[in-house]
Amino acid sequence: MKKLLGIILIVLAVSLLFSTEVVILHTSDLHGNILPINYATNSPSDVGLAKIATLIKQFRNEYQNVILVDTGDLIQGTPLEYYHARIDNKPVDPMILVMNKLGYSAWIIGNHEFNYGLDVLEKAVSEAQFPALSANIIDVKENSSLFKPYHIVNVGDIKIGILGLTTKYIPNWEDPKNIEGLDFLDPVEVAKKYVDILKNKENVDIVIVAYHGGLERDPQTGEPTEELTGENQAYQLLQEVDGIDVLLLGHQHRTIATKINNVPVSMPSYWGKSLGKIVLKLEKKDNKWQVIDSSVEQVSVKGVTADEEITSLIKPYDEKVQAWLDQPVGYADGDFWVENPLFARLQDNPLIEFVNKVQMYYSKAKISSTALFNNSIKGWKSGPITLRDINAVYIYPNTLKVIKVTGKDIKDALEKSADYFVMENYTVSVNKSWVEPKPRHYNYDMWEGISYKIVLNNPSGNRIIDLMFEGKPIEMDKEYEIVLNNYRAGGGGGYTMFKGKPVVREVMMEVSELMADYILEHKNIKATTDNNWQTVVKFEYVINPGETLWSISKRLGVSLNDLTRWNNIKNPSLIKPGTKLVYYKNYIDTIPPIKELINF
């Protein structure tokens, strides 16, 4: 019996010697979130590195071989990071400070890393006790990678290579001055080169490709889930690059834990809502560790207690930011408030009109557009307006550009925005393609300085009518100056009609700062809407014997001029019974559209 037990122990010891586990913990798109709070309201929120830290410590106690990787969009997104970048950039970047404490192995450069300029980014990189990676961002002058392409981590005798890649689509969004002298190569082609180096020259046991980019296809079927612009190329990476053992993703703000070609793929939501956890089971064969099995999951921070060591570490930063945010800058006469985000996109709203007015005021352009960036933005009600209120509304560090476009470009842009809606049984909802696989509410624009109607029950691409500027129809071939944020002006969000258009002038202050300056200058701002745009429903009316166009317009509650224009009637006196007329009603006024449905 003792002999048998001894044999079992020997076998077990040999087995342990030739098999082990490696755990990869993965964060992405943290966007400056450390504390579990919503800065707009100061209310608790299930986000942030402080909660993630609790999970990290838990897994490090549970497993022996653990590494920690972030896939980008780190140093932009909250007032905490805005204050650090713009107001007091002397201390260590707060995100870097916490990540140093948590012992990250690598950080992949994301597109939002460039928002505050290269000086701020380079300072953050220099403060990190872990490498910032990106193999495909090239310094053109030096003809070399601006950042370290890859990093090798040794866990015991296991050699792990981490290759960093960044979406090549950054020039479509970023202010050119923030990426001057840089080139963004195709990550798939770059990966082919460096995975081969890691495998055959560095002789690593495990290759982790960490890419600030997302999945462009369904992981099961391979069918495209978005327009294949090159913004997201994760599926392509796994199809064309041999030797990838783990793929860590970001950028899309999705929650993904799947396998493609038996490779574990992770994307841990955003803002620190989840922590990616990949467990690799390894066996040693021919003196080299090989992956024999793997699992991948996303661990939510919901209900997790924030780590006190991290909250204490960041407290001095937070105290300064909180005091700064609570400074009143002016007074609101009336509510600049979004009660329902869908309704705010269906009719003119004082908050959106205000942002557009600010953009027009500082740019001197007569036409402007902006967006309600997400469904959490509320604005402010009548009374004092603080910097907290303003930063909660305009959450991106965008600047403004005035570009010269044609009337057709404006019409095309409006048609793209109008695709946001779908209508079934006279009820409007958001087009699924705008919220899956990632919500993109920020790409639905609302305009000021022009007037237009969106016909909700017309086919997408043919929804804009009554497009006017200064009381006259916009001419398709005529040029107009419009003001947009730098993201949209560069064609961001699929607005390719704006890409490469002549830049007339720029306003290099961020829109949130312009909003604050405007309120400081005017002191009191009045909530107004000029209802320059509407979402409408198209109906038909059949002319009865003895009716006149005037009596019909009165019956339908539309103006005689509108009815004449909508139906291209040359002589209002000559209308025939049985003729179908089209007319339009404001969608909000037709909820529920009982009169029209019963053929009133």
Side-chain angles (χ1 to χ4, degrees), residues 141-211:
K141 188 176 180 181
E142 299 295 329
N143 194 29
S144 61
S145 297
L146 181 65
F147 304 97
K148 189 177 178 182
Y150 62 84
H151 179 56
I152 294 173
V153 179
N154 291 295
V155 181
D157 67 338
I158 304 166
K159 196 174 183 182
I160 302 171
I162 306 169
L163 172 63
L165 299 169
T166 306
T167 176
K168 68 183 180 185
Y169 220 61
I170 290 176
N172 290 279
W173 311 307
E174 191 53 67
D175 190 328
K177 69 178 175 61
N178 290 341
I179 54 173
E180 189 175 356
L182 303 183
D183 194 9
F184 296 82
L185 304 183
D186 181 74
V188 177
E189 295 306 313
V190 171
K192 290 175 183 176
K193 170 186 172 183
Y194 280 105
V195 170
D196 180 64
I197 290 172
L198 286 169
K199 282 282 189 186
N200 299 313
K201 291 186 179 179
E202 298 286 4
N203 294 313
V204 301
D205 298 299
I206 299 168
V207 171
I208 299 172
V209 171
Y211 169 48

Side-chain angles (χ1 to χ4, degrees), residues 36 45-47 51 54-55 58 272-273 299-306:
S45 183
D46 284 316
V47 299
K51 286 194 170 218
T54 300
L55 294 176
Q58 174 187 317
K273 292 184 176 183
V299 184
S300 172
V301 301
K302 195 169 185 179
V304 173
T305 302

Side-chain angles (χ1 to χ4, degrees), residues 99-367:
M99 291 171 73
N100 285 340
K101 188 72 176 177
L102 293 175
Y104 271 75
S105 295
W107 157 37
I108 313 311
I109 297 297
N111 56 292
H112 282 287
E113 257 65 88
F114 294 94
N115 287 171
Y116 295 123
L118 285 174
D119 289 345
V120 171
L121 173 54
E122 287 168 359
K123 174 182 173 291
V125 169
S126 71
E127 292 165 346
Q129 295 167 8
F130 46 88
L133 307 180
S134 185
N136 65 308
I137 301 177
I138 305 299
D139 182 326
V140 175
K141 188 176 180 181
E142 299 295 329
N143 194 29
S144 61
S145 297
L146 181 65
F147 304 97
K148 189 177 178 182
Y150 62 84
H151 179 56
I152 294 173
V153 179
N154 291 295
V155 181
D157 67 338
I158 304 166
K159 196 174 183 182
I160 302 171
I162 306 169
L163 172 63
L165 299 169
T166 306
T167 176
K168 68 183 180 185
Y169 220 61
I170 290 176
N172 290 279
W173 311 307
E174 191 53 67
D175 190 328
K177 69 178 175 61
N178 290 341
I179 54 173
E180 189 175 356
L182 303 183
D183 194 9
F184 296 82
L185 304 183
D186 181 74
V188 177
E189 295 306 313
V190 171
K192 290 175 183 176
K193 170 186 172 183
Y194 280 105
V195 170
D196 180 64
I197 290 172
L198 286 169
K199 282 282 189 186
N200 299 313
K201 291 186 179 179
E202 298 286 4
N203 294 313
V204 301
D205 298 299
I206 299 168
V207 171
I208 299 172
V209 171
Y211 169 48
H212 187 80
L215 270 177
E216 74 280 28
R217 294 177 181 271
D218 183 276
Q220 274 72 50
T221 67
E223 290 298 311
T225 52
E226 63 186 41
E227 189 178 352
L228 301 179
T229 62
E231 177 180 350
N232 300 299
Q233 296 175 272
Y235 195 92
Q236 186 184 354
L237 274 166
L238 288 175
Q239 295 303 306
E240 297 186 19
V241 183
D242 293 328
I244 299 173
D245 296 304
V246 177
L247 184 60
L248 307 180
L249 303 177
H251 185 57
Q252 285 178 316
H253 292 201
R254 296 167 64 186
T255 304
I256 296 173
T258 190
K259 289 187 181 182
I260 301 174
N261 299 342
N262 209 34
V263 175
V265 178
S266 166
M267 189 187 300
S269 190
Y270 59 99
W271 297 358
K273 292 184 176 183
S274 297
L275 176 67
K277 178 191 172 194
I278 300 96
V279 179
L280 303 179
K281 293 186 178 182
L282 307 179
E283 272 190 5
K284 205 167 196 178
K285 296 178 181 178
D286 300 325
N287 210 35
K288 191 172 177 66
W289 290 103
Q290 295 180 16
V291 179
I292 59 166
D293 197 10
S294 63
S295 64
V296 54
E297 63 178 311
Q298 299 301 334
V299 184
S300 172
V301 301
K302 195 169 185 179
V304 173
T305 302
D307 183 81
E308 290 184 6
E309 187 178 22
I310 299 304
T311 57
S312 296
L313 184 66
I314 212 66
K315 186 178 179 181
Y317 290 82
D318 183 61
E319 287 175 344
K320 290 181 181 178
V321 172
Q322 294 289 2
W324 174 72
L325 284 172
D326 287 329
Q327 296 175 26
V329 292
Y331 188 88
D333 180 3
D335 294 342
F336 293 75
W337 190 251
V338 175
E339 193 67 47
N340 180 297
L342 179 60
F343 273 38
R345 297 184 181 102
L346 284 165
Q347 63 182 3
D348 207 358
N349 176 280
L351 182 66
I352 298 302
E353 184 165 302
F354 171 71
V355 177
N356 271 322
K357 283 181 176 178
V358 169
Q359 293 185 170
M360 295 161 78
Y361 181 82
Y362 287 104
S363 70
K364 308 303 180 189
K366 292 183 177 181
I367 303 172

Side-chain angles (χ1 to χ4, degrees), residues 33 48 89 93 160 169 188 214 220 254-256 273 275 291 365 367 375 379 426 432 435 449 457 548 574 589 599:
N33 283 278
N89 194 232
D93 186 289
I160 302 171
Y169 220 61
V188 177
Q220 274 72 50
R254 296 167 64 186
T255 304
I256 296 173
K273 292 184 176 183
L275 176 67
V291 179
I367 303 172
N375 287 347
Y426 290 91
K432 281 188 178 180
V435 292
N457 55 338
T548 66
L574 297 176
D589 295 338
N599 296 315

